[in-house]
Amino acid sequence: LGTLHSTGSAVFLSIAADACVCVLQLALDGVVVQRSMRENGQLVGVVKSMRCIIGITSTPHAASALQPLEALVHTLVEVVATFAGVGLEGTNGQGPVAAAAAGAAGQEAAEAAEVAANAGVLLGPASLVEVVCLESLPSHRLSAEVKCRMVEVLGTI
């Protein structure tokens, strides 16, 4: 990233924010998309990205870009929440496609199986416990709101 004061970094943060929102929108489309994302390693990639951004917040250059960096972390936490079956704060975790299909027979069973498979990845290869407990909670630069949401999501897994 170089310094977070540069024009290039501001552009990067904007692109990263757009990418995080796109990933969240994909995850909200339901279990079929989530399965594909999980099987292609993108769920692990989400947690790795969160870990990297949290690491960047601890650098001296991050002070000027702390708010956009924390917004990235918050969006990625909501992606993880969606995979964990708790969805966005204040919603039932269903996007428009999943909500339309919710009446289909067996939908709840399929969702439960996907949430369990997602939890296995989040607790195993993705090391979400390490990200939350060893990196996020000790961080002095992340807000209490983001930390509490991370603990809440981890608690559901």
Side-chain angles (χ1 to χ4, degrees):
L1 281 179
T3 65
L4 292 171
H5 307 286
S6 71
T7 304
S9 293
V11 171
F12 166 76
L13 288 172
S14 173
I15 292 169
D18 290 344
C20 289
V21 169
C22 286
V23 171
L24 178 58
Q25 289 172 344
L26 280 171
L28 286 169
D29 272 341
V31 296
V32 173
V33 175
Q34 289 178 16
R35 181 182 319 120
S36 176
M37 291 174 74
R38 182 186 67 246
E39 290 173 353
N40 289 314
Q42 292 156 336
L43 179 55
V44 172
V46 165
V47 178
K48 285 182 179 180
S49 297
M50 192 180 340
R51 172 178 268 157
C52 289
I53 296 166
I54 292 166
I56 291 168
T57 64
S58 66
T59 65
H61 301 292
S64 64
L66 198 54
Q67 187 174 4
L69 288 168
E70 186 169 18
L72 293 175
V73 172
H74 191 275
T75 303
L76 292 175
V77 169
E78 294 307 327
V79 171
V80 171
T82 301
F83 276 90
V86 291
L88 292 170
E89 293 176 297
T91 71
N92 63 358
Q94 292 183 329
V97 174
Q107 181 70 20
E108 287 184 20
E111 287 177 4
E114 285 305 309
V115 167
N118 294 341
V121 170
L122 289 167
L123 295 175
S127 303
L128 185 64
V129 173
E130 288 179 17
V131 172
V132 173
C133 297
L134 300 178
E135 296 174 28
S136 301
L137 294 178
S139 172
H140 298 289
R141 296 210 172 159
L142 289 178
S143 70
E145 177 187 352
V146 169
K147 291 177 182 181
C148 287
R149 181 64 174 152
M150 292 177 105
V151 169
E152 177 187 3
V153 170
L154 182 60
T156 64
I157 301 172

